[in-house]
Amino acid sequence: NGTDSTNATVAKFVSTPEGTALAYGSLVLMALLPIFFGALRSVNCAKGKVRKVEKKKQNNNNIALQLKSCIFFLFVLKLFVFIFSEEYINMLLSMYFFVLGILALSHTISPFVNRLFPANFPNKQYQLLFTQGSGESKEEIVNYEFDTKDLLCLCFSSVVGVWYILKKHWIANNLFGLAFALNGVELLHLNNVSTGCILLGGLFVYDVFWVFGTNVMVTVAKSFEAPIKLVFPQDILEKGLAANNFAMLGLGDIVIPGIFIALLLRFDVSLNKNSRTYFYTGFLAYVFGLGLTIFVLHTFKTAQPALLYLVPACTGLPFFVALVKGELTEMFR
């Protein structure tokens, strides 16, 4: 019986160097895409807010509320890991991210879809309006304007959502994950560099504690079937799209440094020097920090808090460049 049990045991797959390199390289590329395009779109988003001061105040309040809600949600999620059954939490998360993922992916692909259609495309306008009260006391609760192209984006995103719900395929997970990351970098705006330093510093400690101090972060990442991370199989060369031995990167390790890099790009634009020095500096610093994370991860074979390496890189190098150029005071202004 002992011999049979031993023979029946499936040996754990050991990834090849080629498969590991491909997985890590793909994760780096997927992390860079939402930061790059999200930062570019954040400039246009910020310009739109400047044109409407009242709208800007409202949006900033909404963004602050959303950020607080996300942090509270993640904190409660980590605590609930050990209280409720993993099956029920996965079911709840699947429905939650199904709705959010469809909206996020639709917003992400909308600019690309708009370029595909000719100018004479019959694009009808629609408005979804929900109000409270009547007369002078009437208050808008929901006022959403959209068009035919937006509906097409929504249909495509819904197909991806159904695919994700039914199959939990890693490609569908990554499509939603990339959409969440890009929207986060685009819409979550830091108002100044000092705030960015405080946020990154706090989450630096947070990340280190939850990875090295407890096993909660690793448990959440591995246990829950939700697009809160990007994944890429290390055995894709052997098993193709059915591969299941994943390397992973949390979305927080993309969005948190990403919103700071987007701030650097908006600072470049504000200088009116036709230069993107600080944006490219922060972008290269992110590549270096993520590469260092992967190197340490591969060397010690244990989970690493990516912000431990990303935060010093993404803040230190741009500050050094600003100090050399004599623009450090202006940057913090």
Side-chain angles (χ1 to χ4, degrees):
N1 288 337
T3 305
D4 291 340
S5 299
T6 303
N7 292 336
T9 302
V10 179
K12 184 179 180 181
F13 176 82
V14 179
S15 58
T16 62
E18 294 81 5
T20 302
L22 179 60
Y24 287 149
S26 299
L27 284 179
V28 171
L29 178 61
M30 286 192 291
L32 295 179
L33 289 176
I35 291 178
F36 185 83
F37 290 106
L40 293 178
R41 289 170 63 161
S42 78
V43 175
N44 296 327
C45 183
K47 288 179 180 178
K49 291 178 182 179
V50 170
R51 296 190 191 103
K52 298 179 181 180
V53 177
E54 292 301 322
K55 184 70 174 176
K56 173 184 178 182
K57 292 178 180 178
Q58 181 181 353
N59 284 350
N60 281 343
N61 290 335
N62 289 339
I63 288 170
L65 180 62
Q66 291 168 12
L67 185 58
K68 292 176 183 177
S69 299
C70 287
I71 293 174
F72 177 74
F73 172 76
L74 290 174
F75 178 75
V76 172
L77 178 61
K78 294 179 198 308
L79 295 180
F80 276 26
V81 171
F82 302 106
I83 300 176
F84 295 101
S85 169
E86 180 183 319
E87 178 184 355
Y88 292 112
I89 297 180
N90 271 327
M91 187 183 303
L92 175 64
L93 288 178
S94 294
M95 298 308 301
Y96 178 73
F97 284 106
F98 171 73
V99 177
L100 286 186
I102 289 175
L103 297 176
L105 185 59
S106 179
H107 179 263
T108 299
I109 65 176
S110 179
F112 304 103
V113 171
N114 289 335
R115 295 189 182 96
L116 295 177
F117 290 92
N120 59 354
F121 177 78
N123 193 31
K124 296 183 179 180
Q125 302 294 319
Y126 304 93
Q127 183 179 22
L128 183 64
L129 181 62
F130 181 69
T131 61
Q132 178 183 2
S134 60
E136 295 182 356
S137 62
K138 181 183 289 186
E139 181 182 356
E140 290 185 359
I141 305 299
V142 176
N143 187 357
Y144 183 65
E145 297 179 356
F146 56 98
D147 54 30
T148 306
K149 296 177 182 178
D150 293 326
L151 288 177
L152 293 175
C153 294
L154 200 61
C155 290
F156 172 79
S157 302
S158 299
V159 172
V160 176
V162 172
W163 180 28
Y164 171 74
I165 285 291
L166 295 179
K167 299 296 184 180
K168 291 294 192 300
H169 198 276
W170 62 272
I171 295 180
N173 173 90
N174 286 349
L175 288 175
F176 276 172
L178 288 170
F180 286 138
L182 191 146
N183 279 275
V185 175
E186 175 187 358
L187 300 176
L188 292 173
H189 290 184
L190 296 169
N191 58 350
N192 56 58
V193 172
S194 299
T195 302
C197 290
I198 294 172
L199 176 66
L200 265 66
L203 292 176
F204 170 91
V205 176
Y206 173 91
D207 202 25
V208 171
F209 170 76
W210 283 103
V211 174
F212 287 153
T214 71
N215 65 342
V216 175
M217 192 77 84
V218 178
T219 303
V220 169
K222 291 183 176 181
S223 301
F224 292 147
E225 297 174 351
I228 58 175
K229 58 186 179 291
L230 297 179
V231 299
F232 198 90
Q234 301 181 64
D235 53 346
I236 191 171
L237 298 177
E238 291 80 14
K239 299 182 180 179
L241 296 180
N244 55 12
N245 183 37
F246 296 108
M248 63 184 68
L249 178 68
L251 295 188
D253 300 327
I254 302 173
V255 176
I256 300 305
I259 60 177
F260 187 78
I261 295 172
L263 175 64
L264 295 177
L265 177 59
R266 297 196 298 276
F267 175 59
D268 280 322
V269 173
S270 71
L271 293 176
N272 293 319
K273 293 183 178 180
N274 237 358
S275 171
R276 299 293 182 266
T277 303
Y278 294 104
F279 171 64
Y280 290 130
T281 299
F283 197 74
L284 291 175
Y286 182 86
V287 175
F288 171 76
L290 191 56
L292 183 59
T293 305
I294 292 173
F295 173 77
V296 176
L297 172 69
H298 187 68
T299 301
F300 293 99
K301 309 295 182 184
T302 183
Q304 295 294 317
L307 294 183
L308 174 63
Y309 311 97
L310 291 172
V311 169
C314 292
T315 56
L317 190 56
F319 290 166
F320 176 75
V321 173
L323 183 63
V324 172
K325 297 182 67 174
E327 296 174 339
L328 188 61
T329 303
E330 190 171 0
M331 174 185 281
F332 273 88
R333 255 189 221 126

